[in-house]
């Protein structure tokens, strides 16, 4: 049992931690020792510490709340959340394989259905087969149920174009990768091929703003939907030649972009942004996402 749980835990957690570990492995392959050792030590400590502390102080384990009908409800509701998470990962696979099945409206419709059913379950309007008489439903469960139903309605509103805020970063990009994007005032005219970008930047003696992104990268979506759409940010980006390169699909082009990212920035994580000279030399690099527009503007302006 513990061995099977450990294997499952490792597989599921590795999908989110592979960029972190991958960067450390690249650093180690380039001859660095200190940062890979410290990074892997921190990585392993974070995973092991809760189990170590509970084993060291078993009395605290005994003080945890006792299981009962409330725990069965929690497990059932967590099942709905797991299904919603599974849809997210299926969407990632759909984007990588470029199937076009789980588009943004379909994704929101599925999430809305899951949220409404989960909310109705918490409210006691739906009952699972293993449950006995629910008895009186507490205020916390009732409030969580109403909030969950509200989240489902919120997803339906998003299908009609309502702003989704932070949630929008978890959804498939719109337009879908590969679809033609209609240019509007203030938008960024991306170049999607490195060779084309070099051919344009050289004769014009123009620096390039290179956006290394991925179809499955949530932080990339946040930056593109919330940072790049700001007038001051898009204006600064357009002073350079905007280049957008996807790196996470199983295509020769994306693999070449990933090698280029590793060469120019020294990292394999996403997102990462680089200002590159017309001759192809890196001027400066910005790694990761940020909520601070002034920090990103400072990078774009080189100050």
């Amino acid at each position: 049992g513990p061995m099977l749980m450990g294997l499952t835990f490792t597989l599921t957690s590795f999908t989110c931690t592979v960029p972190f570990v991958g960067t450390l492995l690249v650093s180690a392959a380039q001859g660095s020792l200190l940062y890979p050792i410290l990074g892997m030590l921190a990585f392993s400590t974070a995973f092991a510490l809760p189990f170590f502390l509970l084993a060291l102080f078993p009395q605290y384990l005994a003080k945890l709340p006792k299981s009962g009908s409330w725990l069965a409800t929690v497990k059932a509701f967590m099942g709905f959340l797991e299904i919603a998470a599974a849809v997210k990962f299926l969407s990632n696979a759909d984007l990588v394989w470029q199937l076009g099945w789980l588009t943004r409206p379909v994704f929101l419709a599925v999430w809305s259905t899951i949220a409404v059913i989960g909310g109705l379950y918490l409210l006691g309007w739906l009952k699972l087969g293993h449950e006995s008489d629910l008895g009186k439903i507490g205020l916390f469960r009732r409030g969580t149920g109403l909030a969950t139903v509200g989240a489902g309605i919120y997803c339906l509103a998003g299908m009609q174009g309502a702003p989704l805020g932070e949630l929008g970063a978890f959804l498939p990009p719109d337009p879908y990768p590969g679809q033609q994007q209609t240019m509007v005032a203030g938008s960024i005219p991306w170049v999607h091929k490195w060779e084309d970008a070099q051919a344009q930047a050289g004769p014009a003696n123009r620096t390039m703003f290179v956006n290394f992104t991925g179809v499955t990268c949530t932080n990339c979506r946040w930056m593109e939907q919330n940072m790049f759409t700001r007038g001051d940010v898009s204006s600064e980006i357009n002073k350079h030649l905007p280049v957008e390169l996807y790196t996470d699909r199983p295509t020769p082009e994306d693999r070449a972009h990933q090698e280029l990212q590793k060469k120019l920035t020294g990292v394999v994580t996403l997102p990462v942004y680089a200002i590159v000279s017309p001759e192809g030399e890196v001027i400066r690099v910005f790694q990761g996402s940020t909520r601070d527009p002034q920090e990103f503007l400072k990078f774009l302006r080189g100050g």
Side-chain angles (χ1 to χ4, degrees):
M3 290 295 294
L4 181 60
M5 180 190 294
L7 176 62
T8 307
F9 186 57
T10 302
L11 290 175
T12 54
S13 63
F14 194 66
T15 59
C16 295
T17 57
V18 67
F20 172 78
V21 177
T23 300
L24 294 175
L25 293 178
V26 169
S27 179
Q30 293 175 346
S32 175
L33 291 178
L34 179 61
Y35 287 114
I37 290 174
L38 292 178
M40 292 305 294
L41 182 62
F43 177 76
S44 58
T45 301
F47 276 90
L49 192 59
F51 303 100
F52 173 75
L53 292 177
L54 287 174
L56 197 61
F57 305 104
Q59 65 271 24
Y60 291 104
L61 185 62
K63 293 180 180 179
L64 291 175
K66 304 299 181 183
S67 62
S69 59
W70 69 271
L71 186 56
T73 301
V74 170
K75 289 195 296 183
F77 184 66
M78 289 296 292
F80 288 108
L81 297 182
E82 286 290 334
I83 295 173
V87 174
K88 164 61 179 171
F89 286 109
L90 285 174
S91 171
N92 286 351
D94 177 75
L95 288 165
V96 169
W97 293 333
Q98 304 177 66
L99 300 175
W101 294 347
L102 276 173
T103 58
R104 193 182 186 94
V106 174
F107 188 103
L108 285 171
V110 174
W111 261 18
S112 175
T113 303
I114 295 171
V116 170
I117 294 175
L120 294 179
Y121 164 75
L122 289 178
L123 293 172
W125 295 5
L126 295 176
K127 190 171 74 170
L128 299 179
H130 68 275
E131 292 183 328
S132 56
D133 184 27
L134 295 177
K136 184 179 180 181
I137 297 177
L139 290 177
F140 180 77
R141 175 173 172 176
R142 195 182 302 275
T144 306
L146 290 173
T148 306
V149 172
I153 297 173
Y154 182 63
C155 289
L156 287 179
M159 293 175 61
Q160 305 300 319
L164 294 172
E166 296 286 331
L167 182 63
F170 292 89
L171 306 177
D174 187 25
Y176 204 81
Q179 293 179 349
Q180 186 66 32
Q181 183 172 4
T182 302
M183 294 299 298
V184 296
S187 61
I188 302 172
W190 295 107
V191 178
H192 294 282
K193 292 186 177 180
W194 178 242
E195 295 78 10
D196 294 345
Q198 287 182 307
Q200 295 181 38
N205 194 29
R206 191 178 179 190
T207 55
M208 295 174 280
F209 168 78
V210 186
N211 168 26
F212 289 104
T213 185
V215 293
T216 63
C217 174
T218 300
N219 287 333
C220 302
R221 293 293 83 72
W222 191 95
M223 290 290 288
E224 292 159 8
Q225 294 172 11
N226 298 281
M227 188 65 70
F228 292 0
T229 53
R230 290 176 55 95
D232 50 357
V233 172
S234 62
S235 176
E236 289 295 330
I237 290 176
N238 286 328
K239 290 180 180 178
H240 309 279
L241 178 66
V243 185
E244 184 176 66
L245 303 178
Y246 284 92
T247 66
D248 60 349
R249 293 172 295 188
T251 64
E253 187 177 51
D254 280 30
R255 283 192 286 269
H257 292 164
Q258 189 177 64
E259 288 299 319
L260 178 66
Q261 174 190 341
K262 191 188 306 181
K263 176 184 175 182
L264 294 181
T265 67
V267 299
V268 294
T269 54
L270 295 174
V272 63
Y273 310 101
I275 303 295
V276 182
S277 72
E279 294 78 23
E281 296 182 1
V282 178
I283 300 173
R284 51 190 176 272
V285 173
F286 189 96
Q287 186 177 357
S289 61
T290 178
R291 286 341 194 230
D292 184 1
Q294 296 307 315
E295 181 185 12
F296 199 67
L297 285 169
K298 183 178 179 181
F299 158 72
L300 291 171
R301 294 166 179 160

